[in-house]
Every structure is written in C-alpha cells, then in structure tokens.
Amino acid sequence: MNPAFEALTGYSSKEAVARLRAFSLRQQAPALYRELWETISIGNVYHNILVNRKKNGELYYVDENISAIRDAAGCITHFVSNGRDLTKRLHLEEQLLQAQKMDAVGGWLEAWRMTSIIC
C-alpha cells in the first residue's frame, strides 16, 4: 500500500493489509474473483476495471493491473497491483452522454417548433 492508495480509499496501509481479501473485491462477482486468481496464480497479468468501496462507503472505479513477482527460481512469491482511479472520468463521461441526449432532444424540439410555425 502507498500514500496514494490511502488518500483514495481512506484506509491506512495497516487496515488494508489486515482485511485485504474482504476489501479487495467485495463489490465484484464471484466469477470475476475466480478469474483474477486463476490469471495471476499462473503468472499472467490481470487487467480489468474494478469497483470497490472506500472506507466512507463511497464507490470508486479503478483500472487495475495485477502481476506476479517471481523469485530467482521462477516461483511466484508476491503480487503487485497498479491501479488508476477512473471515478471522476467515468462520472464526466456519464454527464457528457446525458448532455448529448439533452442536446439531441432540444434539436428535435426546435425542429418541431419551427415546423409548427410554418404549417
């Protein structure tokens, strides 16, 4: 864990390590959890967008990459996770889509209004 993780989630490194299994994928479907472990346990890189819950209860979205770390003999000893917070970006994309829908409706209403005036 690092300071960026702590700032994002509200969990201290100590808290996160203590509850890692419950914390890491509480919001995910069991099949996704299984896929993740099957992928990383054979040494492949896992990549997905995951949703988790901050300490304060808010959801956040993270673009996650998880890789195995091997020792000199090639045995997996640890895993490293690198995530990028996508929460703000996804909310902005949602707002943009809503604005585009409203713009399309507004254009349709204006065309209808103009047709009503002409007819």
Side-chain angles (χ1 to χ4, degrees):
M1 308 303 158
N2 61 39
F5 172 86
E6 292 177 0
L8 171 63
T9 65
Y11 288 99
S12 70
S13 294
K14 190 174 183 177
E15 289 172 311
V17 169
R19 46 184 311 203
L20 188 58
R21 285 200 90 132
F23 171 77
S24 61
L25 292 171
R26 289 189 298 195
Q27 305 302 312
Q28 313 310 321
L32 189 142
Y33 187 73
R34 229 179 357 267
E35 176 191 350
L36 182 154
W37 279 105
E38 287 172 1
T39 301
I40 65 175
S41 66
I42 60 172
N44 291 335
V45 176
Y46 180 81
H47 176 253
N48 207 340
I49 295 175
L50 304 175
V51 60
N52 273 312
R53 195 170 294 277
K54 296 180 180 184
K55 188 174 182 177
N56 68 6
E58 292 178 34
L59 294 178
Y60 70 97
Y61 300 84
V62 62
D63 184 8
E64 195 75 54
N65 288 291
I66 304 172
S67 302
I69 297 176
R70 297 176 184 270
D71 63 15
C75 297
I76 295 172
T77 60
H78 297 82
F79 297 99
V80 63
S81 174
N82 181 0
R84 184 174 56 136
D85 183 12
L86 295 179
T87 307
K88 189 173 188 175
R89 176 180 157 198
L90 293 175
H91 286 304
L92 289 172
E93 287 177 3
E94 185 179 322
Q95 289 174 356
L96 176 61
L97 286 173
Q98 185 63 28
Q100 289 172 333
K101 288 178 189 176
M102 296 304 291
D103 188 44
V105 168
W108 178 82
L109 287 174
E110 186 62 28
W112 178 77
R113 193 175 310 133
M114 293 302 285
T115 304
S116 298
I117 294 171
I118 295 172
C119 294

